[in-house]
Amino acid sequence: MSTLQSRLKLFNAKERFALVSHILGNAHFEPAADFMRNIKELYGVSSAPYDIYGAMEYHLDWLYAALLNPEVGAPIPLVIGEDGGYGPVTGSQEDIDFLVCFSLDENSVDAVQPVTYLVLIEAKGVTNWETPQLASKLARFRTMKAAFEANPNVRTKLLLMSPTDPRLANRQNEALRQVIADFEDFGSIDWLPIPMEAAYQKVVRCDANGVPTKTAPTHWKVQLR
């Protein structure tokens, strides 16, 4: 019987993934020990994960197909809405920033297959969280519900990573926090910090006095973010 990890690999034809893997000398993206320790602590995992698979910018169409594992070449009817708004198969390149999939030999549903964790990660570094973007991803996950339910031994977790926790209240993120709170399909949406340097710079187009402008720039400058 094929594993979810093996099926995920079959769809991951991203050139960037292959390029980074080749340049760094890794056959696949192996998460660092510190990161996996954080994941174990976050989800209360006690045994050692194995068959760990990581992938970046993984298309949600691919994820849906890997979960359902249909016969290759067999036409599958599109459900209402898939050729329009949100649907399991959209033909778009909407993706998850990074996914980590690993198995454990504990607490299996049927005592035959191991428990597999599928951690779907959305991340922000120096840019802000965008409420419509996250809402779009979560709505897409809802349409994939049947595929997740077809894998009773797979525990799907949604994880946000950023320098500060977007679930904490401030004046800017009330709408974002409401989107997160309303999404109960996978239980709570979790968060882990991602370290970022404090003194990043950026290039800005401006006028001769250094005033930033998008409409009629004549100069450019470097400034702190």
Side-chain angles (χ1 to χ4, degrees):
M1 180 179 295
S2 65
T3 64
L4 178 57
Q5 292 91 319
S6 66
R7 301 197 300 270
L8 290 169
K9 292 176 185 179
L10 293 176
F11 289 97
N12 191 10
K14 267 196 178 296
E15 290 87 351
R16 188 178 304 176
F17 180 91
L19 178 66
V20 174
S21 297
H22 175 69
I23 290 175
L24 298 183
N26 301 319
H28 60 283
F29 287 2
E30 181 75 25
D34 285 347
F35 175 78
M36 289 305 300
R37 186 160 44 248
N38 290 337
I39 290 292
K40 289 180 63 177
E41 292 174 355
L42 182 63
Y43 298 123
V45 172
S46 57
S47 62
Y50 65 91
D51 194 11
I52 304 172
Y53 179 70
M56 65 181 183
E57 298 173 347
Y58 199 90
H59 292 187
L60 297 185
D61 280 0
W62 298 349
L63 177 60
Y64 183 69
L67 287 165
L68 284 185
N69 193 27
E71 178 185 352
V72 175
I76 302 172
L78 291 170
V79 301
I80 296 175
E82 286 190 358
D83 57 349
Y86 300 120
V89 177
T90 65
S92 72
Q93 295 190 10
E94 189 172 31
D95 59 31
I96 193 74
D97 289 339
F98 203 94
L99 65 80
V100 177
C101 189
F102 59 89
S103 294
L104 304 166
D105 286 327
E106 61 178 27
N107 301 322
S108 65
V109 174
D110 57 12
V112 176
Q113 290 182 288
V115 168
T116 295
Y117 276 73
L118 175 63
V119 184
L120 306 177
I121 303 170
E122 282 293 302
K124 291 294 180 185
V126 297
T127 58
N128 294 323
W129 290 99
E130 297 180 4
T131 301
Q133 182 187 43
L134 186 59
S136 174
K137 297 284 179 72
L138 299 183
R140 185 80 176 276
F141 291 143
R142 284 193 176 98
T143 70
M144 299 166 63
K145 186 175 181 180
F148 292 115
E149 292 178 344
N151 294 266
N153 277 304
V154 175
R155 299 178 182 175
T156 304
K157 303 292 184 179
L158 301 185
L159 177 64
L160 306 180
M161 296 189 67
S162 55
T164 59
D165 190 343
R167 302 170 303 175
L168 300 179
N170 63 52
R171 290 179 300 174
Q172 285 75 39
N173 75 344
E174 182 177 350
L176 179 73
R177 288 188 297 110
Q178 189 62 52
V179 167
I180 294 173
D182 288 345
F183 192 78
E184 301 176 350
D185 302 59
F186 296 101
S188 63
I189 295 180
D190 301 296
W191 173 82
L192 284 176
I194 180 172
M196 301 291 295
E197 297 292 338
Y200 283 108
Q201 299 176 341
K202 63 179 179 179
V203 174
V204 177
R205 300 205 299 173
C206 58
D207 62 19
N209 296 316
V211 177
T213 175
K214 295 181 179 180
T215 56
T218 57
H219 295 69
W220 65 277
K221 65 178 182 178
V222 172
Q223 69 180 35
L224 293 175
R225 286 189 177 272

